[in-house]
Amino acid sequence: MGKSRPVGLVLDPLFERHDTGPGHPEHAGRLLHLRESLTASGLADRCTRVEPRPADDADLGRAHRADYIAQVERACLAGERQLDSMDTAICAESAVIARQAAGALGNLCDQVARGELSRGFAAVRPPGHHAEANLAMGFCLFNNVVVAARRLQAEHGIERVFILDWDVHHGNGTQHILEDDPSVLYASVHQWPLYPGTGAASERGVGAGEGATLNCPLPPGADSEAFLSAIGDTILPAARNFDPGFVLVSAGFDAHRADPLAALEVETEAYGEATRLLLELADDCCDGRFVSVLEGGYDLDALAASTQLHLETLLG
Ligand code: ZN
């Protein structure tokens, strides 16, 4: 379904201008290497390019407090190099680029929601899933995937959105912002224990959102089979039951066995299979409406190979 319509891709050198300083694992070279490899493989040319645009205050305000947004912008303009928890480095342009990351993902989601594109992938940075409503964390300024989910609901009338977060780290920000909201199912497969320390299986949502949070922690050393089983056997049945109108993926590729920041043993091929499973869900529930957004992934070659396979699977 939807195979005849083009696949969208956000891939823009703009996102390489977010400068995190020397020695930082979330550095511009990640995206430069990814951009070069997607271009050299011909995959980028097989997609329809989706341009960035700045997310506006209404977009960001669906995920973040106004005083937090102002504080991020003030810190960048003042020339500060760190935000909040000391792992989130910034440069003067970072707030502008983070707005473009959230807005580019919004642009891609708009085009998929309108049926102009079948599905798509946004290769943006800074990543988003650790950003809380009022706190920068874990290399993340604005929570791109939450901004996108709430935009789909507010601007496109999509009632229920499913977010799968397969980054190796738990998406604490995404979970916390959405945990009392029954209209977004947030599911995460991640290594535990590991940064940021949240994401126990017992965290299932709060109040009206009880049951709309699903955590699948995996022990260090867990392999492709465990990763795919968490997605296929635990998460996807719950997602099918939820019957989403749109499927979003927080696609970090740091569960890969080569990744230096974590200790899972996921092989490149598993990302193709995981993508296939998610596309099947989207075809069954919501006319194939699927968008993924880059989160982590710190071994450059593993990131490029996994993303290539992900995109190849989207292209069908
Ligand atoms: Zn991560």
Side-chain angles (χ1 to χ4, degrees), residues 66-242:
D67 57 346
Y68 168 72
I69 300 166
Q71 176 208 329
V72 170
E73 294 187 323
R74 214 165 36 235
C76 291
L77 287 175
E80 290 174 28
R81 296 308 313 261
Q82 298 283 343
L83 269 176
D84 299 327
S85 62
M86 293 302 281
D87 54 13
T88 306
I90 50 171
C91 66
E93 272 196 292
S94 292
V96 173
I97 297 167
R99 266 191 194 263
Q100 296 275 0
L105 177 62
N107 234 353
L108 174 58
C109 288
D110 285 352
Q111 292 181 41
V112 172
R114 288 196 298 257
E116 297 160 11
L117 299 170
S118 59
R119 47 191 171 243
F121 172 68
V124 297
R125 59 186 287 279
H129 72 152
H130 295 303
E132 301 268 359
N134 61 351
L135 189 71
M137 243 182 97
F139 323 153
C140 301
L141 277 67
F142 299 136
N143 198 309
N144 303 320
V145 81
V146 174
V147 170
R150 294 228 154 125
R151 179 176 174 82
L152 286 164
Q153 295 183 308
E155 305 288 334
H156 296 281
I158 291 168
E159 288 177 25
R160 288 178 309 284
V161 177
F162 169 53
I163 300 174
L164 172 62
D165 186 331
W166 75 37
D167 188 281
V168 78
H169 302 95
H170 179 245
N172 58 288
T174 310
Q175 173 173 313
H176 290 149
I177 297 169
L178 298 170
E179 66 189 351
D180 63 354
D181 181 353
S183 71
V184 183
L185 174 61
Y186 173 70
S188 175
V189 54
H190 50 269
Q191 182 187 323
W192 199 87
L194 186 67
Y195 179 92
T198 49
S202 58
E203 296 167 26
R204 302 188 61 255
V206 170
E210 176 84 41
T213 296
L214 176 56
N215 282 303
C216 294
L218 296 176
D223 59 8
S224 295
E225 199 183 331
F227 183 76
L228 289 171
S229 167
I231 294 173
D233 300 334
T234 304
I235 294 173
L236 287 190
R240 239 168 246 282
N241 200 38
F242 180 72

